[in-house]
Amino acid sequence: MNFASLTRSDNALPGRNTFEPASLIADAVPEPGLFSPPPELSLVAFQDNMCEAFLVSNFVWRTYGSPWLQMAVKGNLGQLSFNASHALALTNFGTAHHHDESKLQGLAQYSKVLKALAPRLSDSSKPGTEELIIPVIMLLLLASSQADRESSVLHVKGLTQLLYMCDPRAFQREPLRHAFESCRATLVTTGLISRRRCFLEQAQWRTAPWALDPSAQSGQSRLVNILVFMPGFLEDHSRLVQEYNFVLHQDLLQSLQFQLKQLFEWRWHWQMENLCAAWAWEEENDREVFPGRAIRFATTSQAAEIMIYNTVLIWILGLLWKLDPSNISSIVLDAARHTQGTLSGRYTRHGPLHLPGEVVNLHDVAVEIYKAFDFQIRNTVNNSASILFFLMPIGLAWSVLGHEEEWAKAINESLSKSHVTSGYQTGQNVFGFGSYAIPNVINGQESATLWLSHSEKSVYLVETTELD
């Protein structure tokens, strides 16, 4: 496609400034070959606008980067962030539409932003270092969407080093706080894959960015405060597999039980605050295959919170099944009863969602992830709410449900609802979202695979050896 060749419709008349009846206009249309549109109608001037609009139409990136991505595209976060968003927009548009000119322009802009970043990153004493997190994240999105493994790994390391250079209090104000949350989601997911403990589990990184306004920490963010411990737990479990240590085994078991109680406490309070947030829904003509009843939510944010809650729960239960399978039922029930006692006021059950203590098997947890995902994929239009994790949870659910034909079909059908996620399951997505096999903690099935996107919140291609 050539932007210069895009003109107004063939029915347009040169020099006409007024509207006339359709019959008169039809009679006045010249014969084919005699009409040559004036060059001033070229859409080259609108190329940037088209690319930027296409960028924010990608709801995976839009919700991951809300609101800082949209602000960067509008030029509200400084020249460097604007240039980075421009590079991402051009490259993304050119790749998706096979328009080499746009793609090459975007990659050239990418190189310029890299050169501009280098001197800024070399001196952390300069004010505004924390603001560099936004252009670096966008460069990571660009590199991962192009399956540029080497650059993606470097950008992940760059984000880590950039946070090390900054005090967590530097991210206490918007939009940097939201940008920090996006970055944290990326680094936590990378830690889950590499099974390496993440420094973000330290208390100051879980509290300081929200210290000025604790109420600003969203339900998703509080869940990430629990999820951030999982990479370290996976690292400890890997050590146990290599060489058993009774003390480490008991410490890990106690830590998992503590975080399970934290998770259940979050879930009880969520239930009290969102009594009518979810309800069962019968899918009739909209879907050929849907195992069981769907779940609908009052808002996409509530669906995202439940999806992430179940994601954390699967990681915890998966490790508990490995460490203490004979006692897992009592562990889960004890945690549920203990945390329910922290509620102020009387609780009455509402809705179809599982409550703490009601499920121990991973199948039911994975089903709830899928149903929350399905609701979100059906309601992406104009959704700009922050969703820190979108594809990773459904990948985790697939690792549990993928061997069941009806659930595999249902997940594939949901992914195909949008061109943004279509092809994700086969690694043939036009936006660079793809599936990659990594070790999985599901009932000891080390050979299982987990879908992960190498572009949804960044890159998930990083191997353990590359994080040294």
Side-chain angles (χ1 to χ4, degrees):
M1 178 172 60
N2 189 326
F3 279 99
S5 67
L6 297 177
T7 64
R8 61 184 181 180
S9 67
D10 292 339
N11 288 334
L13 295 178
R16 188 175 298 277
N17 296 316
T18 59
F19 291 103
E20 296 188 14
S23 59
L24 294 179
I25 295 178
D27 292 338
V29 174
E31 297 179 8
L34 298 179
F35 176 64
S36 179
E40 62 267 20
L41 293 180
S42 168
L43 295 184
V44 170
F46 300 99
Q47 177 181 3
D48 291 348
N49 302 79
M50 294 173 66
C51 293
E52 290 162 1
F54 185 69
L55 171 64
V56 297
S57 71
N58 183 325
F59 60 87
V60 176
W61 286 347
R62 183 179 70 241
T63 55
Y64 165 72
S66 178
W68 54 265
L69 179 61
Q70 295 90 329
M71 296 175 68
V73 167
K74 294 177 181 178
N76 296 334
L77 300 180
Q79 190 64 45
L80 196 56
S81 292
F82 174 76
N83 291 345
S85 71
H86 189 48
L88 177 60
L90 285 168
T91 307
N92 173 58
F93 184 93
T95 300
H97 292 88
H98 308 288
H99 188 242
D100 292 341
E101 180 182 350
S102 295
K103 182 176 179 179
L104 290 174
Q105 290 176 358
L107 292 175
Q109 184 71 19
Y110 168 80
S111 298
K112 292 179 181 179
V113 175
L114 279 177
K115 292 179 181 179
L117 272 172
R120 297 281 303 275
L121 290 171
S122 63
D123 187 1
S124 60
S125 64
K126 293 182 178 180
T129 298
E130 65 277 1
E131 297 173 2
L132 302 181
I133 189 176
I134 292 177
V136 174
I137 292 176
M138 285 188 285
L139 295 186
L140 175 54
L141 290 175
L142 189 157
S144 58
S145 71
Q146 299 301 303
D148 186 343
R149 185 187 189 90
E150 182 179 355
S151 296
S152 298
V153 171
L154 289 175
H155 292 319
V156 169
K157 291 183 176 180
L159 281 176
T160 302
Q161 294 170 357
L162 183 56
L163 291 186
Y164 269 131
M165 293 163 57
C166 300
D167 187 292
R169 292 172 295 183
F171 303 101
Q172 290 180 335
R173 301 188 184 280
E174 298 294 0
L176 288 182
R177 187 167 60 204
H178 267 97
F180 166 76
E181 295 206 51
S182 301
C183 177
R184 184 169 71 148
T186 292
L187 297 182
V188 169
T189 308
T190 302
L192 289 170
I193 296 170
S194 64
R195 300 187 178 215
R196 292 289 185 89
R197 180 166 270 102
C198 184
F199 72 94
L200 293 170
E201 71 176 28
Q202 298 170 11
Q204 65 267 29
W205 288 103
R206 291 183 285 113
T207 57
W210 301 271
L212 294 180
D213 184 10
S215 64
Q217 189 166 27
S218 67
Q220 292 184 59
S221 182
R222 290 193 294 272
L223 286 169
V224 180
N225 279 355
I226 304 172
L227 183 62
V228 73
F229 286 96
M230 297 307 117
F233 292 164
L234 292 172
E235 179 179 337
D236 292 341
H237 180 262
S238 295
R239 290 167 56 195
L240 283 173
V241 172
Q242 295 172 4
E243 183 178 356
Y244 181 75
N245 182 298
F246 177 78
V247 174
L248 178 59
H249 183 281
Q250 293 302 308
D251 288 346
L252 178 55
L253 191 58
Q254 291 178 11
S255 296
L256 283 166
Q257 292 180 55
F258 177 80
Q259 293 302 329
L260 181 63
K261 291 177 181 178
Q262 296 290 105
L263 182 64
F264 281 174
E265 184 174 340
W266 180 95
R267 181 63 180 82
W268 284 121
H269 285 282
W270 187 94
Q271 189 71 21
M272 292 293 291
E273 296 171 359
N274 301 273
L275 289 179
C276 301
W279 57 93
W281 184 268
E282 288 288 355
E283 297 291 345
E284 296 179 355
N285 300 324
D286 192 37
R287 180 186 298 282
E288 294 181 359
V289 176
F290 193 101
R293 303 180 75 188
I295 296 178
R296 291 295 169 257
F297 294 83
T299 68
T300 53
S301 293
Q302 291 167 334
E305 289 170 349
I306 288 299
M307 187 170 69
I308 298 174
Y309 161 79
N310 282 291
T311 298
V312 181
L313 184 58
I314 275 192
W315 284 111
I316 293 178
L317 291 179
L319 283 169
L320 287 175
W321 273 110
K322 289 193 168 191
L323 293 171
D324 198 356
S326 61
N327 293 314
I328 186 171
S329 294
S330 60
I331 290 173
V332 171
L333 286 174
D334 288 346
R337 291 173 182 145
H338 173 80
T339 52
Q340 187 177 11
T342 64
L343 292 177
S344 58
R346 187 175 179 179
Y347 168 73
T348 303
R349 181 180 182 86
H350 289 272
L353 301 174
H354 295 125
L355 295 174
E358 291 186 345
V359 293
V360 176
N361 70 82
L362 303 183
H363 179 278
D364 292 343
V365 182
V367 166
E368 198 160 281
I369 288 177
Y370 162 70
K371 291 185 177 182
F373 174 85
D374 182 72
F375 173 78
Q376 292 177 88
I377 201 72
R378 292 168 178 269
N379 294 275
T380 59
V381 178
N382 299 324
N383 178 21
S384 296
S386 175
I387 301 178
L388 296 174
F389 301 89
F390 192 83
L391 290 176
M392 187 266 278
I394 194 63
L396 194 59
W398 172 264
S399 67
V400 180
L401 304 173
H403 66 282
E404 301 179 36
E405 182 178 356
E406 61 175 1
W407 283 112
K409 184 175 182 180
I411 292 174
N412 288 337
E413 187 180 283
S414 291
L415 288 166
S416 298
K417 284 287 182 184
S418 169
H419 71 285
V420 176
T421 54
S422 180
Y424 170 60
Q425 66 274 30
T426 61
Q428 297 176 348
N429 179 271
V430 296
F431 294 95
F433 302 137
S435 57
Y436 294 85
I438 67 168
N440 182 28
V441 183
I442 302 294
N443 292 344
Q445 300 172 14
E446 289 292 345
S447 61
T449 60
L450 169 63
W451 280 1
L452 286 172
S453 159
H454 67 74
S455 186
E456 104 170 311
K457 336 303 181 215
S458 63
V459 56
Y460 306 145
L461 300 170
V462 187
E463 294 181 347
T464 302
T465 54
E466 293 178 309
L467 290 178
D468 292 332

